[in-house]
Amino acid sequence: MYTTGTAFLEALQEAGVSYIFANFGSDHPTIIESLTDAAQKNKDLPKVIISPHEFVAMSAAHGYVQATGEPQAVIVHVECGTQNLGGAIHNAFKAKVPVLVFAGASPYTQEGEMLGSRNEFIHWYQDVNDQRGIMRGYSKYDNEIRTGKNVKQLVHRALQISKSEPQGPVYLMGPREAMEEETESVEIDTSLWEPISPSAIPEQDVNDLVSDLLTADNPIVVTSYLGKKEESVDELIKLCENLAIPVLESVPQTMNFPANHPMHCGFQWNEDKQHPILEDADFILAIDSDVPWIPTKNKPSTNAIIYYIDADPLKEDMPLWYIPSKRFYRADSQVALNQINKVIDEETIDESSVSARRKKIETFHMKLKKEIEKAEQLKGGIITPEYLTACVREIVDENTIVLNEGITNYGVVNTHIGASEPGSYFSSGAGSLGWNGGAAIGAKLAHPDKTIISLTGDGSYLFSVPSVVHTMAEQYDTPYLTVIYNNFGWNAPKHSTLGVHPEGIAKNANKFWVNFNPNSELAKIAEAAGNAHAETVEDPDKLKTALKIAIEQVKNGRSAVLDVRISKV
């Protein structure tokens, strides 16, 4: 029988979805029937990855999309499974990651009137007034499938919206009766469902921007996720090399500009200090960045000319957000930078001014490099985050993807890993912890030939549901290395408290309510659940050997977790 569920799965296949990260329930009989039927008939459908926790399913889809740019699907169980997506859907929405989420819904008949009518007690408890409302603040689009006659159109429309900038997750739900409905196959011309074409800056405005740029003495580019497209990175490198413009990466989600490039002037997260080049800037191109700076800690001069370019330049889903700028452009970064570069190619450049600036920025870059090297030195026999990251860097090669969920060590990881190749580095791009584990599975599915290294705090490791993550990693042959920066607690709330109350009661009592059980053997969770290589490291003299053994295990097909003990919170 050809059902709405069958058509739904076919639509995902037509749209180029490779994987369905699924947590099935009582609302999915027709999906299960159709998947089994297709398997027996060797019919092509997206591959199912069984995910025993919905948060991990969503994080895995998130990681896959980051690594490929191609939207994937997540299937969850009614409103309970939808809510279990929790912080993972926040991450996907805030990081602008295109994913289609489908949930069933409790049957709407109870006396056997239709195929799929209620036959389990849970169908009454899981019937809620506004299931779609759970997702409404975290998705670009939501709808209910009511019939199989237009289910394919709904799927393709949802994915069209999901893939259009600013990208993001979408949500469809379908009651059992609707999904079980027998229907006829509909042919879809997928070329008619493409996402919105990239936007450009108006031609005259490009000339104005370039005019301001060329007359500036101290221009700077600030970006966070421009590296989602490799072509954008190439255009940015061209611009910065031509005019000797420094680049500052603010809370980077991707590798946006090579860290080893002489025009790279560092990273910023929550550091309580003013960046000198940003402070001196008289022209700022903020491009693809939600938070280019934190005004209470680090901001430009009030006299700086700011141009803001982004797919979502007004941040309409952020109730409080403003960066007063001369111009705001809703434009694609690659298109906009290409426009800027073409105009500059036709302009007469003051080479003496550019040369002087180039020397100044290169000097700053070299000074920064020396400070980084100094910070990596061992101190007092304690493994510092800086030393740990430097040791990890030694096992990173051109075929490695590094994932960063180091929380209070975000900036340390960025600075000391020093990613320089597009697609070699990712963070979650948002604020809900635990992305690291599922994302590593997704990245490995996307690039089976690459080595995946996940760097995480102990808190974010626990948030990732490591038991689920590692049973999936073994089941689906997606081995990767996890390095836990274990300080036995949540350092972030302590930092936040001290940031507001630097001499407060908590500081004087040294009581912050953030410490974890010091006897926990975190790596053994992965060993028990997924047969991972597990080791705890406290001695700095044993760290490099442990890392070498662990990465060899990963390259031989077995996940590894190193629980590295650093200074306690």
Side-chain angles (χ1 to χ4, degrees), residues 382-426:
I382 298 173
I383 299 176
T384 64
E386 292 82 1
Y387 177 73
L388 172 54
T389 310
C391 291
V392 171
R393 189 180 65 229
E394 292 182 9
I395 63 170
V396 171
D397 59 24
E398 68 282 354
N399 206 38
T400 301
I401 296 175
V402 174
L403 307 181
N404 178 9
E405 198 169 22
I407 315 307
T408 49
N409 289 310
Y410 267 132
V412 169
V413 170
N414 272 126
T415 299
H416 296 275
I417 283 294
S420 296
E421 293 296 326
S424 65
Y425 166 90
F426 299 100

Side-chain angles (χ1 to χ4, degrees), residues 239-261:
L239 172 66
C240 294
E241 288 182 345
N242 281 348
L243 297 182
I245 304 174
V247 175
L248 175 62
E249 293 191 69
S250 180
V251 289
Q253 299 178 23
T254 59
M255 197 299 297
N256 302 295
F257 192 81
N260 60 3
H261 195 285

Side-chain angles (χ1 to χ4, degrees), residues 12-21 58 60-74 96-100 159 162-163 167-168 194-195 228-229 426 442-443 445-447:
L12 295 179
Q13 175 73 16
E14 293 165 359
V17 170
S18 299
Y19 289 96
I20 296 171
F21 299 90
M58 192 71 196
H62 186 151
Y64 188 100
V65 177
Q66 285 179 298
T68 64
E70 296 300 323
Q72 301 304 298
V74 174
K96 306 169 188 65
V97 174
V99 176
L100 186 147
L159 284 168
S162 184
K163 292 188 291 183
Q167 296 180 330
E194 291 296 317
K228 288 173 68 174
K229 295 173 68 174
F426 299 100
L445 286 170
H447 296 293

Side-chain angles (χ1 to χ4, degrees), residues 439-460:
I441 292 172
K444 185 65 175 178
L445 286 170
H447 296 293
D449 59 321
K450 291 187 178 292
T451 303
I452 312 298
I453 300 179
S454 172
L455 307 181
T456 176
D458 49 329
S460 50

Side-chain angles (χ1 to χ4, degrees), residues 183-217:
T183 189
E184 295 181 1
S185 179
V186 174
E187 295 295 324
I188 293 291
D189 182 352
T190 57
S191 68
L192 304 179
W193 297 87
E194 291 296 317
I196 294 173
S197 297
S199 301
I201 301 173
E203 184 176 348
Q204 181 53 49
D205 287 24
V206 178
N207 293 326
D208 293 343
L209 186 157
V210 170
S211 177
D212 284 340
L213 174 58
L214 293 179
T215 56
D217 294 318

Side-chain angles (χ1 to χ4, degrees), residues 256-366:
N256 302 295
F257 192 81
N260 60 3
H261 195 285
M263 291 298 104
H264 196 282
C265 66
F267 305 91
Q268 59 182 19
W269 289 83
N270 288 328
E271 295 85 357
D272 193 12
K273 60 182 179 181
Q274 177 69 54
H275 194 285
I277 294 183
L278 180 65
E279 184 178 33
D280 292 342
D282 54 0
F283 177 98
I284 301 172
L285 179 60
I287 182 167
D288 284 358
S289 179
D290 290 333
V291 188
W293 50 80
I294 300 175
T296 55
K297 296 182 177 183
N298 174 39
K299 61 182 179 181
S301 162
T302 55
N303 297 321
I305 296 174
I306 302 172
Y307 282 83
Y308 193 89
I309 301 174
D310 195 89
D312 179 21
L314 295 179
K315 308 301 169 193
E316 295 175 32
D317 289 304
M318 293 185 183
L320 176 62
W321 186 95
Y322 52 85
I323 296 175
S325 304
K326 182 173 180 178
R327 293 286 188 276
F328 293 87
Y329 297 112
R330 189 184 299 274
D332 177 85
S333 59
Q334 178 194 351
V335 173
L337 288 169
N338 181 262
Q339 290 179 282
I340 293 167
N341 281 328
K342 284 182 177 179
V343 172
I344 289 173
D345 286 343
E346 298 174 356
E347 296 289 330
T348 301
I349 308 300
D350 183 351
E351 295 296 343
S352 61
S353 175
V354 170
S355 179
R357 184 164 61 239
R358 190 183 310 279
K359 184 176 180 180
K360 173 185 172 183
I361 302 304
E362 287 178 349
T363 300
F364 180 89
H365 177 83
M366 291 306 299

